[in-house]
Amino acid sequence: MREEFDSQLGVLSRWFNVLPLREAAARIREGTLPVRSACVTFDDGYADNVTVALPILRRRGVPATFFLATGFIDGGRMWNDSVIEAVRAMPGDTLDASCIGLDTSTFLPSTCGGRRSRGRCRR
């Protein structure tokens, strides 16, 4: 996970002008936003934002904005995490979501602690 994120930041910073979110918003208003501008944001407030992402962001000099789900700082689980955990706990390796207009997906073991990740879709 760390190596992949580090690699992604390398590509992002090589091909884009990565700006702090506040600066990008101001420059949009002023009409001075550079071409190929990008902002890095984290919208969940997971602990790994600080333990994994922040050291890599600092080392690479890439600015980022962190949004926290303040209602869950003392515990609890966001609804999207409940969906993810339900998929991870499902028996078998296929999730048929065709009844709601989605593909039938086969899940392959990922390299992240044995968790399931979406591998490929069968139509």
Side-chain angles (χ1 to χ4, degrees):
M1 179 167 66
R2 286 176 171 83
E3 295 81 17
E4 184 176 348
F5 181 65
D6 189 36
S7 176
Q8 290 170 347
L9 279 183
V11 171
L12 185 71
S13 60
R14 179 176 178 202
W15 293 101
F16 292 87
N17 296 302
V18 184
L19 301 173
L21 184 59
R22 187 176 298 234
E23 179 183 340
R27 294 186 76 172
I28 287 172
R29 285 190 299 274
E30 298 163 358
T32 62
L33 187 69
V35 295
R36 291 191 320 239
S37 292
C39 295
V40 176
T41 64
F42 295 83
D43 65 351
D44 51 29
Y46 292 128
D48 65 358
N49 293 172
V50 171
T51 61
V52 175
L54 189 57
I56 297 169
L57 290 161
R58 284 182 173 157
R59 183 174 50 76
R60 287 196 169 269
V62 175
T65 300
F66 296 85
F67 295 95
L68 304 179
T70 57
F72 299 96
I73 288 176
D74 292 327
R77 185 163 54 183
M78 292 184 278
W79 70 271
N80 57 303
D81 291 325
S82 296
V83 172
I84 291 166
E85 291 307 316
V87 170
R88 285 184 182 150
M90 72 177 197
D93 65 354
T94 302
L95 175 65
D96 182 358
S98 59
C99 64
I100 57 171
L102 300 174
D103 293 335
T104 297
S105 298
T106 300
F107 292 84
L108 304 174
S110 76
T111 57
C112 296
R115 296 179 179 165
R116 296 168 186 255
S117 65
R118 189 169 185 191
R120 64 182 181 274
C121 293
R122 293 186 295 195
R123 293 183 193 253

